[in-house]
Amino acid sequence: SIATCVRTLRPPSRKRKKPMIWTLKYVYIHQQSMLVSGDSFGQLLFWDPNTGTLLSHFTPHLADITQISYSLH
């Protein structure tokens, strides 16, 4: 099978440097689906999976985020 790119996520740059997205996870929380990415700037970014629009982001630390896990409990 052949994969097709349907969206390109463009995280915000910082000081003319572009972050690398290292991890991406699809989540369904509170009856809303979203993509959550972790990048090389230590940011977690929340995206609308249908439009690729950045919904929100925050920086929990300055190291690369290479894995994302979550729990509803």
Side-chain angles (χ1 to χ4, degrees):
S1 97
I2 297 174
T4 302
C5 179
V6 294
R7 295 275 181 263
T8 301
L9 303 176
R10 300 199 189 283
S13 298
R14 209 187 285 165
K15 296 181 183 175
R16 294 188 223 172
K17 292 185 180 180
K18 294 182 180 180
M20 295 291 298
I21 292 179
W22 296 123
T23 185
L24 184 66
K25 185 168 290 270
Y26 175 84
V27 297
Y28 186 77
I29 301 172
H30 303 296
Q31 300 184 358
Q32 181 180 2
S33 60
M34 67 181 82
L35 294 170
V36 182
S37 66
D39 71 17
S40 57
F41 290 166
Q43 301 180 106
L44 282 174
L45 300 106
F46 301 86
W47 307 87
D48 181 314
N50 298 312
T51 65
T53 302
L54 181 62
L55 302 172
S56 180
H57 73 281
F58 73 100
T59 307
H61 55 79
L62 299 177
D64 293 27
I65 295 177
T66 58
Q67 293 185 2
I68 298 170
S69 64
Y70 74 100
S71 173
L72 297 177
H73 303 283

